Amino acid sequence: MFLHVTMKAARLLLPAACLLWMTGCWSRVEINDRAFVSGMYVDVSEESGYEVSLGFPLSNRLSSGGSMPSGGASDGNPYAIVSKRAGSIPEAIRKIRSDLSREISWGHCRIIIVGTKMAESGVDPILEFVTREPNFHTKSYFLVAPGKGKDITELTPVFERLPSEVLREFAERKVTLDTSVKDLLEAAARGGDAAAALLTIGKVKMVSEKGKLSTWVGTDGAALFKNGKMVGTFNVQEMRAALWIDGKMKSSVISLKSPTDGKTISFLILNSKSQIKPVVSGDRIRFDIRIEAEDDVMSSESDIDLNDPEQISKIENLLSQQLKGRIMSAIQKTQQMGIDVFAFGRYIEWRYPKVWYEHQDHWRSTYKNCEFSVVTQVSVKRTGVEKNPIVRQMQRQQGGSR
């Protein structure tokens, strides 16, 4: 009898359990009531403190087939930018939320752009908001605009649908520094020394826009932060040296003058790796940096014989010395400014915790006097089928046939 009752109860509970999967998410916001933030742009406002701009994709104007769905304007952009000013970043965002017909969702935001004045005043207010917003990804990239961050929203996304996607690709493809919110938070715990990508902006006539004068945005050097405030910049070569030090240099092109006739030879960097080792001897702190890279010959205007091992060895030495010079230039610049944007202090903390305990309170002063030994080894792996300039070979063949 007991077994019969139990089996009957199980048969009744099974349909009831299935009905639970059919219930709605009563505590959640429906997807068609959400406004997904694709990018956040923050500036200092002289009038009221901060100006926050949020980028949103317009779902009613997005179509994979290229044609606009019904209800969408055919001549409008598939994204919108909404800006508000307030005394604090959360207050500005609250004002934006009040003007939207949908609830703001932060789950798709992958880019934060700040203007130069905002960067110079300090990024702590941004980090304060981001860390307290549970749906904000700390892996979002952080970049600095040369003027106002809001100006970057005017860029024309030729290859992408949204302006934020263009900026995100810059970081993901490693053509510039891929500093994230997480990196800035870790830097804040160490004193606020960090480096972030710096953008450049201009107006050009674009064929894709039927020759109209449009806003173009590209990559530049890097912004240097001390105590969370921008205090200087790297040029492009110094920024790329930072990529080498971090072991993030990929698919780059480097050129040099041929040792035989001074003509240009270009190389494609296929892969690279870096190794940083701290060495403490008494009161002296030294960092041994070793960087290895493999190159392919991309083009050659020189008559140099690329089939000669001796000539290849000379080229490899020139490439190695050029790379070493750029890396040392970037490191020396940070030492002069007293900012450890490469976080060399972490290596001391990991390897020599007692030494770090002695220097952590005045690490910037210690960093100025640290020694650096940089060893670079660039190997030319492939020179291509043609060992000499193709155009010159054709000229010689034509001259010989006359």
Side-chain angles (χ1 to χ4, degrees):
M1 180 66 180
F2 177 75
L3 180 60
H4 176 72
V5 173
T6 303
M7 293 180 63
K8 185 177 181 180
R11 286 196 297 269
L12 292 174
L13 286 174
L14 183 60
C18 293
L19 291 175
L20 294 176
W21 296 98
M22 301 176 63
T23 59
C25 298
W26 62 271
S27 62
R28 299 291 183 179
V29 180
E30 296 293 339
I31 190 170
N32 58 340
D33 291 329
R34 294 174 181 264
F36 297 97
V37 180
S38 60
M40 180 179 179
Y41 311 82
V42 187
D43 291 296
V44 172
S45 174
E46 297 179 357
E47 301 175 359
S48 54
Y50 300 95
E51 181 177 14
V52 179
S53 304
L54 300 181
F56 301 94
L58 301 179
S59 57
N60 61 327
R61 295 184 181 180
L62 291 173
S63 174
S64 59
S67 60
M68 294 295 175
S70 59
S74 59
D75 57 348
N77 290 323
Y79 57 88
I81 307 294
V82 184
S83 303
K84 291 295 180 181
R85 296 176 180 177
S88 67
I89 293 175
E91 186 180 354
I93 294 174
R94 181 189 60 78
K95 289 184 177 181
I96 294 176
R97 181 182 288 111
S98 300
D99 287 352
L100 296 180
S101 60
R102 300 187 177 193
E103 185 64 28
I104 292 178
S105 176
W106 295 97
H108 291 74
C109 184
R110 293 294 185 274
I111 288 291
I112 298 179
I113 308 294
V114 301
T116 301
K117 290 185 178 180
M118 180 67 210
E120 291 173 346
S121 66
V123 299
D124 288 349
I126 300 176
L127 299 180
E128 174 70 16
F129 167 75
V130 169
T131 53
R132 294 184 182 275
E133 172 54 55
N135 296 318
F136 206 107
H137 288 269
T138 57
K139 292 184 179 180
S140 299
Y141 297 118
F142 184 92
L143 303 94
V144 179
K148 295 184 63 177
K150 185 180 178 181
D151 294 341
I152 302 298
T153 65
E154 300 178 1
L155 76 87
T156 304
V158 178
F159 291 98
E160 310 295 339
R161 292 189 176 187
L162 310 175
S164 59
E165 291 183 356
V166 177
L167 306 172
R168 178 175 56 83
E169 288 297 329
F170 287 159
E172 291 197 350
R173 292 177 50 241
K174 301 295 187 297
V175 296
T176 187
L177 297 181
D178 59 345
T179 305
S180 66
V181 172
K182 179 183 177 182
D183 296 330
L184 292 179
L185 290 172
E186 293 177 351
R190 302 189 304 268
D193 294 358
L198 187 62
L199 300 173
T200 182
I201 187 171
K203 293 282 187 177
V204 295
K205 291 183 178 180
M206 295 186 177
V207 175
S208 62
E209 309 307 308
K210 299 181 180 180
K212 294 181 181 179
L213 196 64
S214 304
T215 301
W216 167 85
V217 173
T219 59
D220 198 1
L224 307 180
F225 290 83
K226 181 179 182 179
N227 291 325
K229 297 181 180 181
M230 178 177 167
V231 295
T233 60
F234 273 162
N235 59 32
V236 175
Q237 288 188 354
E238 292 166 341
M239 180 273 292
R240 297 179 72 80
L243 290 174
W244 281 106
I245 294 174
D246 291 339
K248 296 179 180 179
M249 178 60 71
K250 294 182 179 179
S251 299
S252 177
V253 176
I254 186 171
S255 300
L256 55 74
K257 301 297 182 181
S258 170
T260 57
D261 54 14
K263 300 292 182 64
T264 301
I265 307 176
S266 298
F267 303 86
L268 176 65
I269 300 170
L270 300 178
N271 58 69
S272 66
K273 60 180 180 180
S274 66
Q275 182 181 13
I276 301 174
K277 180 181 178 181
V279 179
V280 176
S281 177
D283 295 334
R284 298 173 57 188
I285 298 178
R286 187 182 79 246
F287 292 93
D288 293 339
I289 303 175
R290 182 176 180 84
I291 295 177
E292 299 178 0
E294 293 184 0
D295 292 5
D296 276 2
V297 175
M298 193 174 184
S299 67
S300 173
E301 300 176 8
S302 172
D303 281 333
I304 188 172
D305 185 3
L306 297 177
N307 203 29
D308 184 356
E310 184 177 348
Q311 298 296 340
I312 293 296
S313 179
K314 290 182 180 179
I315 291 176
E316 291 175 341
N317 289 334
L318 290 174
L319 288 171
S320 299
Q321 291 301 316
Q322 177 177 295
L323 177 57
K324 178 180 178 179
R326 293 180 179 182
I327 292 173
M328 286 301 302
S329 175
I331 293 175
Q332 290 170 359
K333 187 171 188 176
T334 62
Q335 285 187 292
Q336 292 171 1
M337 299 177 67
I339 49 176
D340 183 14
V341 300
F342 300 114
F344 288 118
R346 290 183 303 175
Y347 295 92
I348 297 295
E349 183 180 7
W350 297 337
R351 188 75 176 268
Y352 302 96
K354 292 183 179 180
V355 175
W356 174 250
Y357 180 77
E358 296 175 2
H359 293 273
Q360 61 178 343
D361 293 335
H362 51 88
W363 172 246
R364 290 194 180 98
S365 299
T366 302
Y367 176 66
K368 289 183 177 181
N369 298 316
C370 288
E371 300 175 5
F372 287 87
S373 173
V374 178
V375 177
T376 55
Q377 182 177 352
V378 180
S379 302
V380 178
K381 292 298 183 181
R382 287 167 287 275
T383 59
V385 177
E386 299 293 341
K387 305 303 180 183
N388 298 101
I390 296 177
V391 175
R392 204 150 300 170
Q393 290 185 34
M394 295 174 61
Q395 293 173 350
R396 290 171 181 170
Q397 293 175 359
Q398 292 176 358
S401 60
R402 293 176 183 174

